[in-house]
Amino acid sequence: MRMVDIIHKKRMGEALTEDEIRFVVNGTTDGSIPDYQLTALCMAIVFQSMNDEETALLTRYMAESGDQIDLSEFGDLSVDKHSTGGVGDKTTLILAPLVAACGGIVAKMSGRGLGHTGGTIDKLESIPGFQTKETIGMFLKQSREVGVTVVGQTKELAPADRRLYVLRDVTATVEAIPLIVSSIMSKKLAAGAHSIVLDVTVGSGAFMKTVEEATVLAEKMVTIGRACGRNMSALITNMDEPLGHAVGNALVVQEAIGVLKGEVQGDLKEVCLALAGEMLSLCLKIPPEKGRAMAEETLESGAAYKKFKEWITAQGGDVRFAEDPSLFPEAAFSRVIRSPKSGYIEKMNAERIGNVAGQLGAGRRQKGDDIDFAAGIYLYAKTGDHVKKGEPLAKLFTEHEESLDDAEAAYLDALSWSRKRPEPEPIVYKIIH
Ligand code: URA
């Protein structure tokens, strides 16, 4: 078999056979197919797409390209959640202990920040001592004993995706539904959970810009997961403005603790309850409304916060930070941005706000860069709020004083204004069971 013929076939819009897809995935994993041929094939897929059968085969062979975690001892109780990315997203920090406190087993592998979006592992590492690398034996032991473990993805988890993703990121071939579906689902399938809830985000801070596009993506992922024997559902959620009020790493952990302690309400809590309802529905086999009510009670009783502290301790984190978030060190420099005018905030471009957080030091410029855990943004006002000229809009935090002027200008540029109160947008657009 020759890679050039496979590229030509896809370029002409023909479907690839199982043998051809297996050849591509094997050659991606063992390095025998060079970068230029892989990227040519990805570009052909961007233009000609893949049918459902090809996408399912690509996903399956990518999932099988490396380690596959065996969580079968937990049966359907093992439950995972995946978000397609966002700004200010801290749902895993809340959902993992919340669902575990309700009886689910959240044994999960999470990623680091990518582009303007943040990553759960970077956020967790802002808790002093917290370990995100564990042997598989420790991962399973902690999941049995505490019900919740969140670690970084190992190099051996879907290595074919790892190689392809890096190439797609720099060749403008990320945005193709078969490639996104196979990339996400190969990792989720290899990570082993029997029940999987997908949070497919839509809007200015997400890869998907319309509910229609997000629905197609979500339905394909749900279909593939089910075909591989997993319990699946997906929520299409709003990421047209940052989720909650904090963007960054330590700031985000502090806000998540606020939700767990019952001190923070609003969009973040709403999304978490909807996601928790679905996760509990799949893993405990109960109706989603019952799952949501159970999650609400567990938050209110303090049991989820107690489980959070147990989890942080089990992974080596200093639990005093969970008890008193004011212990997190503040960044050396901060600035309050004041409103240049009076009016309603009509829109907040979440991608641009994510990039401002990156400029302040909360993200990486290059692979392997260190991030500043204390850097980020606290949003005082969000879409639909009325602000008077001179009132605080947001506070910037950084270790680099020289970044503040540009960051302030870019933040203000990310907002649009209106004299009329904009119609509120739903937080959850739809649920695909
Ligand atoms: N997240 C992934 O893991 N893969 C993609 O292709 C897009 C988002």
Side-chain angles (χ1 to χ4, degrees):
M1 213 173 276
R2 294 191 323 157
M3 185 63 180
V4 62
D5 299 325
I6 295 175
I7 299 169
H8 183 260
K9 193 172 173 189
K10 186 42 74 186
R11 198 192 86 193
M12 301 311 287
E14 287 176 51
L16 303 182
T17 64
E18 178 163 358
D19 284 349
E20 286 163 341
I21 291 173
R22 194 189 307 113
F23 175 85
V24 170
V25 175
N26 287 346
T28 307
T29 312
D30 66 19
S32 58
I33 302 176
D35 288 355
Y36 52 85
Q37 285 188 315
L38 285 174
T39 54
L41 180 64
C42 287
M43 192 57 90
I45 295 172
V46 168
F47 285 110
Q48 297 289 7
S49 197
M50 281 182 135
N51 64 31
D52 288 351
E53 198 187 334
E54 289 174 283
T55 309
L57 287 166
L58 181 62
T59 307
R60 206 183 90 208
Y61 284 115
M62 291 208 325
E64 290 171 3
S65 67
D67 285 351
Q68 293 183 76
I69 315 295
D70 182 3
L71 298 181
S72 55
E73 66 178 281
F74 305 117
D76 286 333
L77 282 182
S78 63
V79 58
D80 198 351
K81 185 247 15 163
H82 179 84
S83 164
T84 55
V87 177
D89 187 354
K90 61 280 287 177
T91 52
T92 297
L93 304 177
I94 299 162
L95 287 167
L98 172 56
V99 169
C102 295
I105 303 284
V106 186
K108 184 170 165 51
M109 296 199 170
S110 283
R112 295 192 181 273
L114 179 74
H116 67 277
T117 64
T120 301
I121 291 302
D122 295 327
K123 292 165 195 163
L124 284 169
E125 285 179 351
S126 68
I127 303 171
F130 194 95
Q131 299 303 312
T132 55
K133 288 191 190 111
E134 279 190 1
T135 61
I136 194 71
M138 289 302 291
F139 178 77
L140 293 174
K141 182 169 180 282
Q142 185 181 317
S143 305
R144 270 178 225 126
E145 290 172 1
V146 187
V148 48
T149 318
V150 181
V151 296
Q153 275 160 18
T154 65
K155 277 211 171 68
E156 287 72 37
L157 193 85
D161 174 64
R162 181 174 279 262
R163 178 157 177 230
L164 272 186
Y165 197 88
V166 172
L167 295 174
R168 287 168 57 216
D169 200 21
V170 291
T171 54
T173 51
V174 171
E175 285 93 347
I177 285 199
L179 296 178
I180 298 179
V181 167
S182 53
S183 167
I184 294 175
M185 287 306 294
S186 61
K187 287 175 288 206
K188 289 291 110 181
L189 295 174
H194 286 208
S195 302
I196 303 170
V197 173
L198 302 165
D199 176 10
V200 181
T201 50
V202 185
S204 62
F207 289 116
M208 297 291 117
K209 302 297 177 201
T210 66
V211 174
E212 291 69 33
E213 262 182 318
T215 305
V216 172
L217 178 68
E219 282 173 347
K220 287 195 189 294
M221 291 197 285
V222 165
T223 306
I224 286 180
R226 287 216 179 111
C228 294
R230 310 299 165 101
N231 307 315
M232 299 288 307
S233 67
L235 278 78
I236 311 285
T237 65
N238 190 333
M239 188 48 78
D240 210 30
E241 63 175 332
L243 187 59
H245 289 266
V247 182
N249 293 287
L251 290 171
V252 154
V253 175
Q254 292 172 61
E255 188 177 21
I257 294 171
V259 173
L260 289 162
K261 280 182 158 176
E263 295 164 357
V264 174
Q265 310 296 327
D267 57 349
L268 171 61
K269 184 173 168 189
E270 260 316 294
V271 167
C272 286
L273 287 175
L275 287 165
E278 288 301 315
M279 290 171 80
L280 292 169
S281 165
L282 295 186
C283 74
L284 301 181
K285 308 265 182 267
I286 53 175
E289 315 78 64
K290 211 166 164 197
R292 188 196 154 100
M294 193 179 198
E296 213 159 358
E297 264 168 43
T298 308
L299 263 185
E300 272 160 29
S301 71
Y305 174 52
K306 189 164 166 254
K307 183 58 78 179
F308 177 79
K309 291 193 286 183
E310 220 184 299
W311 165 39
I312 299 305
T313 308
Q315 278 186 245
D318 186 340
V319 77
R320 288 173 304 167
F321 286 74
E323 281 158 357
D324 179 7
S326 72
L327 291 176
F328 281 98
E330 252 211 36
F333 303 98
S334 63
R335 177 180 296 176
V336 173
I337 304 181
R338 296 195 174 271
S339 182
K341 56 173 103 179
S342 296
Y344 287 98
I345 300 182
E346 187 184 36
K347 273 192 176 297
M348 308 182 87
N349 186 308
E351 178 172 356
R352 290 212 214 156
I353 293 175
N355 287 333
V356 172
Q359 256 172 278
L360 293 166
R364 292 182 182 77
R365 274 167 228 263
Q366 288 183 349
K367 215 175 135 190
D369 277 0
D370 283 336
I371 48 178
D372 293 332
F373 292 130
I377 312 173
Y378 190 85
L379 281 56
Y380 295 117
K382 294 195 50 180
T383 306
D385 288 343
H386 187 271
V387 241
K388 291 204 184 101
K389 186 171 175 183
E391 279 183 349
L393 284 175
K395 189 168 179 180
L396 309 178
F397 297 89
T398 185
E399 303 298 332
H400 307 283
E401 193 174 16
E402 70 287 357
S403 65
L404 284 169
D405 287 344
D406 284 352
E408 176 170 0
Y411 187 88
L412 288 171
D413 238 24
L415 308 187
S416 58
W417 297 85
S418 155
R419 283 180 195 197
K420 281 204 335 241
R421 187 167 198 274
E423 280 298 313
E425 286 283 322
I427 295 168
V428 176
Y429 289 106
K430 55 166 117 160
I431 300 181
I432 296 160
H433 288 296

